[in-house]
Structure formats: C-alpha cells, structure tokens
C-alpha cells in the first residue's frame, strides 16, 4: 500500500490505526475562540475526532504528503504553497490513482479520501502514521523534508499487516518560529490563534481585517511563511523534488502594485486552478493594498491615493489605512531630520570652566 502511494506521486506515506483522537486539544482550541469564524470546525468536531463518525467499519488510516519546496531565488508576494497549482486538485488526482491501485490489491476495499476540506484533521493522523511531528508553529515537520508539505488522508475498512510509529517531537528548545511571528499569533507552542494569524486573515477572512493585525501583512498578499522560513528543518538540503504541478503560475510573480490594481479580466483568466479563489478577487486586491501599507512602500503613494476612490469599499478602506501609514512614516522621518538639523545648528557647548 505504501509503495502504491509513492508510485502515485506521494513523497510520504504512513499507516495508523483508526482509533479516535484525543478530544482535549481541539475542544480547548475551540473553547478559547482561536478558530475565529471557522464555525465548521466546531460543527464537525465529532467526525474530526472519530473516524467511525465518518463511516462505520474504518480500520486503518493512510496518511500522505506532497512537498512544495520552491527555488531559493524565487520572488513572490504569495505564500509558497499558493504559487503553483491548487494542492487540493493535485492531491485529489493522485488519490484517485491510488484508489484504483489499492482496488487492484483488494477489490472489496472501501475507502474515503480527504484533502483539507472534509471532516478530517490531517496533521494528527500524519503524526500517528510516522510522517513527522507537529512543530511549535502548528505545522507538520518531517525530519528530512521539513514543513513544506501538503497533506491528505485515506480511511480504509481493512486492517494492515504493520502500522507505523508516531513521529518523535524534535523541536527541542528551539522557539524561533514563536519569536518570528509578526502578530504574536501563538498563545503557546503548537497553538495558533486564527484571530491574530496573517494566514487566516489573508486567505479566509473576507471581512474587515483588524487594524492591529494589518502591519503583519508585510508578509505578503496571500498567506504567511514567516514561521516556516525561520525553522531550522527548512534550511536543510532536501532531495531534488521536481513536480510539474508545482510550477509557478503567472500571478505568483506579480508585484504588490500589480495585484492591487488587478483587473477582473486578468483575475478570471489567471486565477483558475490556483489557491487564490479562496480569498476572491476583492480579497486579493485588499490584501495587496494592506501589504503595501504594512511595508510602508513610499513609492506606492500615488497609487494608494488613486485607490482611495476604488469602487470596491474594502480596497478603498485599505488604501486609506495604507496611505495614512505612509504619511505617518513621512512625518516621523521629517521630525527626525528637523531634530538632527537643529542639533547640528546649535552652538557647541563649552567645556566646564571655560568661556567666563
């Protein structure tokens, strides 16, 4: 089974018993309000914790991963996972091929596959199946491939001859990811508060972005990789992984100014097949404007002044905020310059005891 998964394009594959997951971590996270408006997490909690709620008779869980490493010199305002084809499509294509291979091994096999959007929590199953451990930034980390991984699982109504050992936590005392987060979105290690997370607000939140979170948008216009970029396991050499599905799409190379003024025609032409429709046309433009303000790009002042009158209210409001942030920086620099000039123009102070 695991070899069949690798033959179908999955870099990692592991098997775990389909026993219920401990409810405490999920229920504490929900009770604390860390899910923001992701209401479906609570609505589907029972099924997420117990595979038998998805389908009675499930005996094993096959956990799978596909890497999405990017070239070191690649420049983009999008998170790495979003620069190529939408990983949901890639996983689904390979899961379909894998299901056919498994049916050849056992024609009576029943399976249920899930990629992120179903009633399944992929990371706990990936840990149980030995693919890695959940790092302090909440991401699954594999000791060889790091955390640049997308996950899926397949529930099976068969026991298998051998199950994998859960991944060992190798974070140790390292807390670089926790310190690097621009919005302090980790109330404790391995716990993410979506209400403060740039990835949540730039991908899931189509409403107003809280003003205290907006400066964190210097991470870019879609998603945030900061807590992964500083992880030592992502700085190690990795095997050469050439995946045609990961080839960068055109929008990934567009600068923030171009994304902020993206036309409907270009959006409809270039966004299909990518992860960007998750936030939508208006949301992506709003994000780009917030990113310009967060980075205090003074060269974008003329653009932001024009966008204050954009027909999309969210874009116009974001431009107002970004422009105010630019002007604030200008005033701060002017005050600092005037202070320095005044200091240099003052007569030199005489040493004590002289000049009388």
């Amino acid at each position: 089974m695991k070899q069949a998964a690798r033959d179908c394009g999955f870099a990692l594959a592991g098997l775990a018993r389909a026993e219920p997951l401990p409810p405490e971590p999920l229920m504490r996270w929900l009770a604390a309000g860390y899910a923001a408006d992701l209401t479906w997490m609570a609505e589907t909690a029972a099924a997420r914790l117990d595979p038998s709620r998805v389908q009675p008779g499930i005996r094993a869980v096959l956990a799978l991963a596909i890497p999405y490493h990017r070239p070191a010199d690649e420049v983009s305002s999008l998170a790495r996972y979003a620069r190529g084809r939408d990983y949901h499509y890639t996983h689904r294509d390979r899961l379909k091929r894998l299901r056919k291979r498994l049916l050849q091994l056992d024609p009576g096999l029943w399976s249920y596959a899930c990629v992120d959007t179903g009633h399944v929590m992929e990371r706990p199953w990936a840990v149980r199946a030995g693919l890695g451990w959940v790092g302090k930034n909440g991401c699954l980390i594999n000791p060889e491939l790091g955390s640049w991984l997308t996950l899926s699982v397949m529930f099976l109504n068969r026991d298998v001859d051998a199950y994998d050992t859960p991944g060992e936590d190798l974070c140790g005392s390292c807390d670089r990811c926790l310190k690097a987060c621009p919005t302090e979105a980790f109330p404790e290690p391995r716990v993410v508060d979506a209400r403060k997370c740039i990835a949540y607000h730039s991908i899931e939140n189509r409403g107003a972005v809280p003003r205290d979170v907006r400066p964190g948008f210097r991470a870019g216009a879609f998603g945030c990789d900061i807590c992964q970029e500083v992880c030592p396991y992502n700085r190690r050499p990795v095997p050469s992984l050439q995946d045609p599905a990961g080839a960068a799409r055109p929008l990934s190379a567009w600068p923030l100014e171009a994304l902020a003024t993206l036309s409907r025609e270009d959006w409809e032409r270039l966004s299909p097949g990518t992860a960007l429709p998750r936030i939508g046309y208006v949301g992506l433009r709003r994000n780009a404007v917030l990113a310009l303000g967060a980075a205090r790009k003074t060269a974008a002042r003329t653009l932001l002044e024009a966008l204050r009158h954009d027909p999309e209210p969210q874009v116009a409001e974001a431009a107002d905020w970004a422009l105010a942030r630019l002007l604030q920086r200008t005033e701060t620099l002017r005050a600092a310059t005037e202070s320095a000039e005044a200091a240099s123009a003052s007569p030199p102070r005489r040493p004590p005891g002289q000049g009388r």
Side-chain angles (χ1 to χ4, degrees):
M1 291 176 65
K2 292 164 69 174
Q3 184 59 50
R6 288 188 285 268
D7 292 343
C8 290
F10 294 99
L12 300 174
L15 288 157
R17 289 183 173 84
E19 299 170 348
L21 298 169
E24 290 80 9
L26 175 60
M27 303 315 292
R28 283 200 307 267
W29 185 74
L30 292 171
Y34 295 151
D37 67 351
L38 304 178
T39 55
W40 62 87
M41 294 292 292
E43 294 166 357
T44 60
R48 291 177 181 276
L49 294 168
D50 187 353
S52 67
R53 296 292 191 98
V54 177
Q55 177 69 34
I58 293 174
R59 308 297 295 274
V61 179
L62 178 59
L64 306 155
I66 300 175
Y68 61 97
H69 296 86
R70 309 300 310 177
D73 58 349
E74 187 174 83
V75 178
S76 177
S77 61
L78 310 182
R80 296 188 185 200
Y81 89 90
R83 298 174 191 175
R85 186 192 189 207
D86 186 341
Y87 73 90
H88 296 85
Y89 300 142
T90 301
H91 275 268
R92 288 168 186 166
D93 289 347
R94 298 181 189 186
L95 285 166
K96 289 177 182 178
R97 294 200 296 270
L98 177 57
R99 181 180 280 114
K100 292 180 180 179
R101 294 289 298 273
L102 296 182
L103 286 173
Q104 293 174 358
L105 297 175
D106 182 354
L109 181 70
W110 181 92
S111 63
Y112 170 84
C114 179
V115 188
D116 185 42
T117 55
H119 301 166
V120 177
M121 294 192 295
E122 289 86 356
R123 278 174 296 179
W125 291 115
V127 173
R128 280 195 177 184
L131 271 55
W133 72 96
V134 175
K136 293 178 182 177
N137 60 3
C139 298
L140 183 87
I141 303 177
N142 177 271
E144 283 78 38
L145 300 180
S147 65
W148 306 117
L149 299 165
T150 54
L151 307 175
S152 60
V153 300
M154 184 177 283
F155 288 164
L156 307 165
N157 67 338
R158 293 286 190 273
D159 280 311
V160 297
D161 55 354
Y163 292 97
D164 291 285
T165 303
E168 179 184 0
D169 185 347
L170 299 178
C171 281
S173 61
C174 178
D175 60 357
R176 296 181 189 181
C177 57
L178 306 182
K179 292 179 178 178
C181 179
T183 55
E184 300 181 343
F186 299 105
E188 60 182 277
R190 298 175 182 83
V191 177
V192 181
D193 184 349
R195 298 170 300 183
K196 295 183 178 181
C197 180
I198 297 301
Y200 162 76
H201 285 292
S202 62
I203 298 173
E204 302 288 347
N205 182 9
R206 299 197 179 194
V209 176
R211 287 180 171 262
D212 60 338
V213 172
R214 294 181 181 190
F217 269 70
R218 65 180 183 271
F222 189 87
C224 179
D225 287 335
I226 291 175
C227 66
Q228 296 190 79
E229 289 170 343
V230 300
C231 178
Y233 286 96
N234 286 332
R235 297 183 177 182
R236 297 182 173 189
V238 297
S240 177
L241 297 167
Q242 300 298 325
D243 189 343
R249 298 293 181 93
L251 282 177
S252 69
W254 283 34
L256 291 172
E257 293 83 353
L259 292 176
T261 55
L262 178 68
S263 68
R264 282 277 184 183
E265 292 75 17
D266 283 337
W267 167 259
E268 293 172 0
R269 179 172 59 91
L270 299 174
S271 67
T274 72
L276 300 178
R278 184 71 179 177
I279 191 59
Y281 168 70
V282 175
L284 181 63
R285 292 187 59 218
R286 176 206 67 184
N287 291 351
V289 174
L290 292 177
L292 288 170
R296 287 193 162 117
K297 289 201 170 188
T298 54
R301 178 172 177 173
T302 301
L303 172 63
L304 292 173
E305 288 175 341
L307 289 174
R308 292 179 65 195
H309 308 288
D310 194 88
E312 298 292 350
Q314 283 200 47
V315 175
E317 190 276 333
D320 268 333
W321 175 85
L323 187 60
R325 187 170 167 85
L326 260 63
L327 294 176
Q328 181 184 39
R329 182 189 186 191
T330 300
E331 291 299 324
T332 301
L333 292 174
R334 181 184 295 115
T337 301
E338 292 175 351
S339 177
E341 291 175 349
S344 63
S346 300
R349 297 179 60 186
R350 295 185 179 92
Q354 297 185 15
R356 291 186 179 274

